[in-house]
């Protein structure tokens, strides 16, 4: 498949559009052409039998908004012609995870219960991206209400597939985001990360995914899952593109009280600096993990996959050569409690957030003989929620029940403090380790096959073992591509830094990106691009 | 070991969650709940100082970075019609629901 304008970086597109060297409508056409070539049929709730073609196409999108996009692109071209500056993302095709509300578009959360919902307002990060010139091509698929790590739980089938190998999952829950960006169907995507939902699919699809600090980007207009953990953030093909996107999205928003009053630095200045003198940690607790055995469920210690481990060690070596100081043996002893604590905290918050779907105010409503309002609630929720939301609501009910709350919910929140302290201790400038960041794998393995894990809700959750601690702690993390395994599936490495250190994390990520710019794997394209 | 979430406890949870489930769903969900609880039990084994504070957010919201409370003043979103347009069943500008079980006061 020929390269197109949609394969350019966001920075190049925006600069050329601003200079009048490129038209936003041509960039949009290129992205829409690519979608026609690789995406196959979009996700619907009435997909029926799988078709042979479904297995070789990406299915990133639920809803395309080409007319709205064309209006945006034409407006940008008119602005440039009139001598005005449309902004730092002028003409850049954007795919929005369908968990964000965009006024006048369907906003489904990947669930039948919101299938008919057309949002009356627009989420703050989307509003900021569009105000900076980004052109929204459509809404991309996700696990239902973001509940999953493979994107297979969406009610809108066919589920997205991995552009590098369509037999594999793209990861999740921002699977449509990562797949669309990897395949050139969009140049940027806005995702969300609650346990790893930006970083894990980014790793699986060979793209960059940044989970900002909790409070860095407004959650206004984000359909809530676990309110104390949900973080909107960029999915991009390069670190510089992710930095530019974060620059636009970040900053306080009066409509989200948890958005923090912390000034947003100029990330491009951060990227201009090198990594000399930065202390980068490696922790054994991110190389050897406690996993449940799929057959017996018994927890056993396992190492991350050797090819993934080799990628992390090579990154450490390359960063050391550029003057960073590598600190080995950093203890992060509470890392492996991340998943069990998450099973509790996220479920309590999910159950609370999902009570608003009752068939009364918006979304789907059960039909037929409904003698009273309780029957309406039960039948609407029973019929329109998929298995994953039901499972999370039930678990949230159980662990927050009066007789168990102290043992489960309170304890999980205390464990969250312990996880946070692990990070505080190693990042403490006066402590024993004085790290600027931690370098880890993003995922213990590369992408797994479709249907290999789906249905086993415990094993699926453990796909987030290396990412979830950052969500508990609130700190920023980035996944960057670090090569391909023997089966040509992307490997991702992760950098984790202290609160609001996105600039430094991006800087280290870019140093690694530049050090590997001439690697042979950089020339390999995803299989769907032929 | 007996399942922590017995069929009776499960039925109670289903009622609280306001869900109507078929038999196949119920069986899958109860099995997965019990399997997740095994993972959650790992938390019990942690040697935890009972004085450890809870963290409801990872990032500490100090006064310096927290937003000030908004002024308590009502203002219109101007979106009432758009919001009402999303309601599955209306009569004029009223939202229609089936009977709400109630007792008439004497």
């Amino acid at each position: 498949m020929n390269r197109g304008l949609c394969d350019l970086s966001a920075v190049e597109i925006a600069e050329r559009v601003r200079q009048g060297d490129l038209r936003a409508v041509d960039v949009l056409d290129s992205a829409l052409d690519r979608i026609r070539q690789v995406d196959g049929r979009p996700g619907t709730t009435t997909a029926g039998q799988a078709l042979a073609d479904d297995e070789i196409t990406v299915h990133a999108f639920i809803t395309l908004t080409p007319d709205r996009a064309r209006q945006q692109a034409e407006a940008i071209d008119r602005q440039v012609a009139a001598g005005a500056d449309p902004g730092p993302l002028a003409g850049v095709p954007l795919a929005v995870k369908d968990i964000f509300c965009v006024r006048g578009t369907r906003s489904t959360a990947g669930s039948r219960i919101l299938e008919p919902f057309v949002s009356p307002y627009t989420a703050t990060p989307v509003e900021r991206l569009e105000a900076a010139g980004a052109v929204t091509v459509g809404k991309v698929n996700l696990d239902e209400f973001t509940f999953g790590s493979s994107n297979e739980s969406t009610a809108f089938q066919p589920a997205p597939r991995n552009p590098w190998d369509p037999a594999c999952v793209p990861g999740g829950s921002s699977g449509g985001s990562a797949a669309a960006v990897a395949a050139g169907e969009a140049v940027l995507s806005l995702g969300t990360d609650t346990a790893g939902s930006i970083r894990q699919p980014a790793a699986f699809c060979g793209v960059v995914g940044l989970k900002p600090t909790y409070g860095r980007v407004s959650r206004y207009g984000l359909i809530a899952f676990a309110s104390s953990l949900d973080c909107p953030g960029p999915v991009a093909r390069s670190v510089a593109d992710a930095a530019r996107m974060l620059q636009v999205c970040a900053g306080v928003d009066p409509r989200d009280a948890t958005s923090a009053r912390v000034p947003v630095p100029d990330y491009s200045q951060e990227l201009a600096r090198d990594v000399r003198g930065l202390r980068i940690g490696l922790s054994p607790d991110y190389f050897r993990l406690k996993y449940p055995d799929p057959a017996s469920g018994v927890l056993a210690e396992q190492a991350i996959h050797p090819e993934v481990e080799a990628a992390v060690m090579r990154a450490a070596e390359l960063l050391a050569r550029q003057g960073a100081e590598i600190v080995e043996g950093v203890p992060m002893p509470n890392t492996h409690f991340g998943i069990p604590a998450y099973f509790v905290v996220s479920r309590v918050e999910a159950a609370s957030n999902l009570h608003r779907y009752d068939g009364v105010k918006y979304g789907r409503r059960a039909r037929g003989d409904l003698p009273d309002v309780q029957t309406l609630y039960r039948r609407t929720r029973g019929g329109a929620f998929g298995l994953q939301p039901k499972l999370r609501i039930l678990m949230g009910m159980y662990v927050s029940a009066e007789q168990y709350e102290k043992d489960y919910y309170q304890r999980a929140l205390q464990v969250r403090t312990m996880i946070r302290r692990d990070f505080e201790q190693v990042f403490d400038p006066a402590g024993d380790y004085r790290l600027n960041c931690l370098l880890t794998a993003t995922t213990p393995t590369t992408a797994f096959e479709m249907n290999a894990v789906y249905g086993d809700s415990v094993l699926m959750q453990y796909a987030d073992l290396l990412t979830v601690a950052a969500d508990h702690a609130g700190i920023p993390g980035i996944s960057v591509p670090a090569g391909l395994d023997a089966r040509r599936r992307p490997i991702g490495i992760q950098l984790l830094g202290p609160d609001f250190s996105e600039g430094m994390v991006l800087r280290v990520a870019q140093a690694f990106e530049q050090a590997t710019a001439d690697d042979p794997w950089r020339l390999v394209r995803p299989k769907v691009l032929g | 070991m007996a399942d922590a979430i017995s069929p009776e406890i499960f039925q109670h949870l289903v009622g609280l969650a306001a869900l109507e489930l078929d038999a196949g769903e119920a069986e899958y969900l109860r099995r997965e709940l019990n399997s997740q609880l095994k993972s959650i039990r790992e938390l019990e084994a942690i040697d935890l100082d009972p004085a450890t504070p809870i963290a409801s957010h990872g990032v500490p919201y100090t006064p310096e970075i927290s937003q000030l409370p908004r002024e308590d003043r009502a203002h219109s979103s101007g979106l009432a019609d758009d919001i009402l347009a999303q309601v599955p069943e209306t009569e004029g500008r009223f939202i229609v629901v089936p009977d709400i079980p109630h007792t008439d006061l004497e």
Side-chain angles (χ1 to χ4, degrees):
Chain A
M1 197 171 294
N2 290 335
R3 285 183 190 269
L5 296 174
C6 58
D7 295 309
L8 298 176
S9 74
V11 171
E12 181 175 350
I13 290 170
E15 292 318 311
R16 287 176 60 185
V17 167
R18 286 164 122 177
Q19 288 158 18
D21 175 42
L22 203 59
R23 294 193 320 157
V25 289
D26 294 332
V27 182
L28 171 64
D29 282 337
S30 165
L32 294 175
D33 277 347
R34 177 63 56 78
I35 292 168
R36 268 192 293 277
Q37 286 169 316
V38 304
D39 210 52
R41 51 181 186 150
T44 63
T45 58
T46 51
Q49 289 260 305
L51 310 173
D53 274 0
D54 289 346
E55 293 178 13
I56 54 168
T57 42
V58 181
H59 315 286
F61 285 85
I62 291 178
T63 306
L64 283 172
T65 51
D67 298 336
R68 189 175 176 279
R70 191 162 303 280
Q71 284 171 14
Q72 288 180 315
E74 285 169 354
I76 286 162
D77 289 334
R78 277 196 304 273
Q79 276 179 280
V80 175
D85 179 5
L89 292 175
V92 177
L94 169 75
V96 176
K97 185 179 184 180
D98 208 11
I99 195 79
F100 290 98
C101 292
V102 179
R103 179 170 166 79
T105 73
R106 220 157 50 120
S107 300
T108 69
S111 181
R112 290 171 61 83
I113 210 160
L114 279 177
E115 187 176 9
F117 177 61
V118 176
S119 174
Y121 68 107
T122 297
T124 296
V126 178
E127 198 170 84
R128 289 182 179 179
L129 289 164
E130 292 190 336
V135 173
T136 304
V137 291
K139 308 289 289 291
V140 277
N141 217 329
L142 65 155
D143 280 293
E144 184 172 0
F145 282 103
T146 81
F147 300 162
S149 308
S150 71
N151 217 138
E152 291 161 287
S153 72
T154 175
F156 292 76
Q157 298 285 335
R161 287 172 176 264
N162 193 314
W164 289 86
D165 182 351
C168 289
V169 302
S173 65
S174 309
S177 293
V181 171
E185 299 173 83
V187 177
L188 297 174
S189 183
L190 180 66
T192 59
D193 196 310
T194 306
S197 278
I198 288 175
R199 292 161 288 155
Q200 185 257 18
F204 278 11
C205 291
V207 295
V208 175
L210 171 66
K211 174 205 121 47
T213 312
Y214 186 86
R216 180 76 294 179
V217 177
S218 168
R219 295 173 302 122
Y220 180 77
L222 161 63
I223 297 169
F225 156 22
S227 307
S228 78
L229 297 153
D230 296 339
C231 269
V235 176
R237 286 192 297 263
S238 72
V239 174
D241 282 4
R244 184 169 288 213
M245 181 166 167
L246 179 66
Q247 191 82 54
V248 168
C249 297
V252 70
D253 173 13
R255 293 178 296 189
D256 175 4
T258 64
S259 65
R261 287 195 302 155
V262 176
V264 181
D266 181 344
Y267 295 119
S268 65
Q269 277 187 11
E270 285 275 355
L271 289 183
R273 299 170 61 193
D274 62 32
V275 296
R276 264 178 294 183
L278 291 183
R279 289 170 62 83
I280 299 174
L282 294 171
S283 170
D285 297 305
Y286 276 82
F287 288 99
R288 293 199 65 78
L289 315 161
K290 279 188 187 161
Y291 254 106
D293 177 78
S296 66
V298 174
L299 278 180
E301 202 170 80
Q302 279 186 40
I304 62 171
H305 194 280
E307 286 177 285
V308 177
E309 179 173 348
V312 178
M313 297 314 291
R314 176 162 180 258
E317 196 186 308
L318 290 172
L319 291 165
R321 263 190 237 162
Q322 292 181 70
E325 194 178 334
I326 303 299
V327 182
E328 293 188 74
V330 177
M332 299 293 290
N334 292 294
T335 304
H336 68 276
F337 299 126
I339 295 293
Y342 183 77
F343 264 131
V344 176
V345 175
S346 71
R347 271 50 173 182
V348 172
E349 296 187 18
S352 165
N353 276 322
L354 293 182
H355 257 299
R356 69 190 62 166
Y357 305 104
D358 55 8
V360 173
K361 305 179 290 290
Y362 41 70
R364 195 179 284 278
R365 173 185 180 122
R367 298 284 164 208
D369 181 29
L370 299 164
D372 56 38
V373 77
Q374 268 92 10
T375 312
L376 167 70
Y377 296 158
R378 284 198 299 269
R379 206 159 290 167
T380 297
R381 292 160 62 84
F385 277 138
L387 285 170
Q388 296 311 313
K390 286 173 181 163
L391 191 51
R392 296 197 183 210
I393 295 167
L394 292 166
M395 183 55 93
M397 292 287 164
Y398 182 77
V399 295
S400 60
E402 197 184 353
Q403 62 270 46
Y404 309 118
E405 191 263 353
K406 212 169 157 34
D407 287 341
Y408 290 128
Y409 187 51
Q410 289 293 320
R411 195 168 179 85
L413 291 177
Q414 288 176 307
V415 171
R416 196 171 174 183
T417 298
M418 307 287 285
I419 293 169
R420 167 86 189 174
R421 281 182 186 164
D422 279 356
F423 288 107
E424 284 175 348
Q425 279 161 12
V426 302
F427 294 144
D428 181 354
D432 289 344
Y433 294 93
R434 303 179 305 285
L435 299 182
N436 294 97
C437 63
L438 268 169
L439 167 63
T440 78
T442 310
T443 52
T445 64
T446 54
F448 42 85
E449 279 88 8
M450 306 277 292
N451 300 312
V453 181
Y454 188 57
D456 184 332
S457 64
V458 174
L459 203 57
M460 186 64 84
Q461 191 69 76
Y462 275 81
D464 299 328
L465 200 52
L466 299 178
T467 46
V468 71
D471 295 279
H472 282 301
I475 61 163
I478 193 169
S479 179
V480 276
L484 301 172
D485 72 5
R487 294 176 298 183
R488 291 198 162 195
R489 295 177 190 171
I491 298 170
I493 57 165
Q494 175 176 241
L495 294 156
L496 302 170
D499 295 346
F500 302 104
S501 68
E502 287 83 359
M504 182 273 304
V505 166
L506 285 160
R507 177 168 27 132
V508 179
Q510 195 188 50
F512 171 76
E513 191 180 70
Q514 287 170 349
T516 54
D518 296 327
D519 279 9
W521 62 267
R522 294 261 181 210
L523 298 172
V524 184
R525 300 182 85 198
K527 205 185 266 177
V528 297
L529 299 182
Chain B
M1 195 177 75
D3 284 342
I5 300 181
S6 64
E8 293 71 33
I9 295 176
F10 182 77
Q11 275 317 315
H12 176 66
L13 295 174
V14 170
L16 289 177
L19 293 171
E20 199 172 79
L21 304 176
D22 65 40
E25 279 183 311
E27 194 192 323
Y28 170 81
L29 291 168
R30 195 170 76 82
R31 188 182 69 228
E32 291 299 309
L33 285 174
N34 279 307
S35 154
Q36 292 187 1
L37 265 185
K38 284 187 195 135
S39 167
I40 292 172
R41 290 244 161 86
E42 207 194 330
L43 296 177
E44 293 169 8
I46 304 174
D47 184 18
L48 194 66
D49 177 354
T52 308
I54 62 163
S56 11
H57 284 104
V59 176
Y61 276 85
T62 58
E64 291 72 44
I65 73 161
S66 302
Q67 290 191 52
L68 303 172
R70 271 195 306 250
E71 213 179 317
D72 189 15
R73 209 170 52 194
H75 57 92
S76 170
S77 64
L79 296 174
D81 290 337
D82 294 336
I83 291 166
L84 276 171
Q86 294 304 313
V87 177
E89 204 175 326
T90 51
E91 254 177 50
R93 291 172 70 80
F94 290 96
I95 295 174
V96 178
V97 291
D99 182 48
I100 299 171
H102 60 281
T103 324
D104 287 325
L105 295 175
E106 293 293 320

